[in-house]
């Protein structure tokens, strides 16, 4: 039975990918992490020994602390965080329990180096439409909630990436780009190990809208229309990104929770 300061893998899995996702803090030892260098989606690494020092950066937020099996390291670090005004829980069963439940795990080797503030930094072409909004949504919700996105002139993406230590995406001849019939969003879903049924459904929608193959998904025309509408509403790419995040939150929740739900105008009128 869960205690008030623990959370189950099932409950946490429902929060990941949503706007209500807590901060996930992996405090496994270096030896345990080296034995399986994967992370629960969106997790950051911290040393359990110094929780009293780094904990204040999460003050006023909710957090879930993860160690190998959900015992002393996670519970101790979570207790320290609560001393520092963090609403902290530890994950029941820890990393091993999450893994045993066959829930998604992101390989740390796929993550770009982080900047001095602990953020991943990405760069792509300005005036985004579909892939260049969908991919940042995926990264923010499942890889790095604090990720930074730079939108620049198409001809400068690679050079900006080199000079500002940013990872280029959705341009030709880089790792994070289209591959064959797959769009960049597909590639990120696969490479980050996030290919759950809801995510694959969303990936099909994105691919269909992004590549003009609207027959692949009945919902793709709606995604395309909404995406093009947003691009006309906003001159500022970052404002458009924030609005697009909400759009993809809605499409993801439909893919995960509401595909069987219908809405029909009542056809039966009351008899006189």
């Amino acid at each position: 039975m869960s205690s008030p300061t623990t959370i189950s893998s099932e409950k946490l899995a429902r929060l990941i990918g949503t706007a209500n996702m807590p901060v996930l803090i992996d405090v496994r030892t270096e030896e345990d992490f080296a034995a399986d260098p994967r992370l629960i989606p969106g997790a950051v690494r911290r040393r359990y020994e110094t929780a009293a020092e780094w904990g204040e950066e999460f003050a006023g937020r909710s957090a879930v602390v993860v160690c190998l099996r959900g015992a002393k390291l996670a519970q101790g670090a979570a207790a320290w965080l609560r001393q520092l005004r963090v609403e902290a829980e530890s994950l029941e069963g820890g990393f091993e329990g999450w893994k045993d439940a066959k829930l998604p795990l992101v390989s740390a080797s796929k993550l770009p180096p982080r900047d001095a503030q602990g953020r991943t930094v990405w760069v792509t072409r300005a005036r985004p439409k579909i892939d260049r909004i969908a991919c940042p949504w995926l990264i923010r919700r499942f890889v790095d909630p604090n990720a930074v996105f730079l939108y620049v002139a198409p001809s400068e993406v690679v050079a900006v990436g080199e000079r500002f230590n940013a990872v280029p995406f959705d341009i030709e001849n880089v790792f994070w780009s289209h591959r064959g019939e797959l769009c960049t969003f597909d590639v990120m879903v696969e490479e980050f190990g996030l290919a759950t049924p809801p995510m694959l459904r969303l990936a099909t929608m994105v691919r269909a809208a992004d590549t003009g193959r609207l027959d692949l998904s009945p919902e793709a025309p709606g995604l395309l229309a909404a995406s093009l509408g947003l691009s006309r509403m906003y001159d500022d790419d970052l404002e458009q990104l924030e609005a697009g995040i909400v759009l993809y939150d809605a499409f993801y929740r439909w893919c995960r929770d509401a595909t069987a739900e219908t809405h029909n105008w009542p056809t039966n009128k009351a008899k006189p």
Side-chain angles (χ1 to χ4, degrees):
M1 181 177 177
S2 299
S3 79
T5 56
T6 64
I7 186 172
S8 68
S9 291
E10 180 182 12
K11 184 175 179 180
L12 178 59
R14 298 286 295 175
L15 294 174
I16 290 177
T18 74
N20 297 320
M21 177 178 172
V23 177
L24 302 182
I25 306 170
D26 186 315
V27 298
R28 284 178 290 164
T29 64
E30 294 299 325
E31 294 78 11
D32 288 339
F33 181 70
D36 192 340
R38 294 181 294 171
L39 295 162
I40 293 174
V44 297
R45 289 273 294 152
R46 292 290 188 274
R47 296 179 63 87
Y48 71 88
E49 304 100 312
T50 54
E53 300 172 16
W54 50 257
E56 287 189 355
E57 69 179 279
F58 304 113
R61 303 171 66 182
S62 61
V64 173
V65 185
V66 182
C67 67
L68 189 64
R69 297 186 177 87
K72 56 185 179 294
L73 300 188
Q75 294 192 26
W80 258 116
L81 292 180
R82 291 192 292 273
Q83 290 284 336
L84 300 170
R85 296 177 292 110
V86 181
E87 188 179 330
E89 300 171 296
S90 58
L91 179 63
E92 294 175 3
F95 178 84
E96 290 295 312
W98 182 273
K99 183 167 65 174
D100 289 343
K102 296 181 170 52
L103 292 165
L105 288 166
V106 175
S107 174
S109 65
K110 301 292 185 181
L111 302 179
R114 297 178 185 266
D115 68 3
Q117 287 74 46
R119 305 167 298 186
T120 59
V121 183
W122 306 75
V123 61
T124 190
R125 295 169 289 137
R127 304 312 301 143
K129 298 296 187 297
I130 299 169
D131 239 355
R132 286 166 287 151
I133 296 293
C135 292
W137 171 83
L138 182 76
I139 293 166
R140 285 264 181 91
R141 291 293 186 241
F142 292 88
V143 178
D144 176 14
N146 299 312
V148 174
F149 298 96
L150 309 178
Y151 290 102
V152 302
S155 61
E156 302 302 323
V157 172
V158 172
V160 169
E162 293 171 350
R163 294 298 181 92
F164 291 87
N165 297 315
V167 180
F169 70 98
D170 202 45
I171 63 167
E172 293 183 351
N173 303 316
V174 299
F175 183 80
W176 300 106
S177 189
H178 287 227
R179 297 179 190 172
E181 295 186 350
L182 301 180
C183 67
T184 307
F185 187 85
D186 287 305
V187 170
M188 287 191 174
V189 168
E190 179 180 343
E191 293 286 350
F192 285 130
L194 299 171
T196 62
M199 191 66 78
L200 291 175
R201 183 187 291 269
L202 180 58
T204 301
M205 293 169 56
V206 173
R207 185 188 330 125
D210 191 59
T211 62
R213 292 177 289 164
L214 301 181
D215 58 302
L216 295 178
S217 169
E219 294 74 32
L223 174 57
L224 176 61
S227 300
L228 295 180
L230 285 177
S231 75
R232 300 301 189 274
M233 291 170 62
Y234 295 95
D235 292 327
D236 186 294
D237 293 340
L238 295 179
E239 290 184 3
Q240 183 187 341
L241 173 60
E242 294 307 314
I245 292 285
V246 178
L247 176 69
Y248 280 94
D249 280 344
F251 274 112
Y252 176 68
R253 288 299 298 270
W254 177 79
C255 289
R256 196 188 74 176
D257 302 326
T259 55
E261 186 174 333
T262 60
H263 177 71
N264 298 306
W265 181 258
T267 56
N268 295 323
K269 296 182 180 180
K271 294 181 179 181

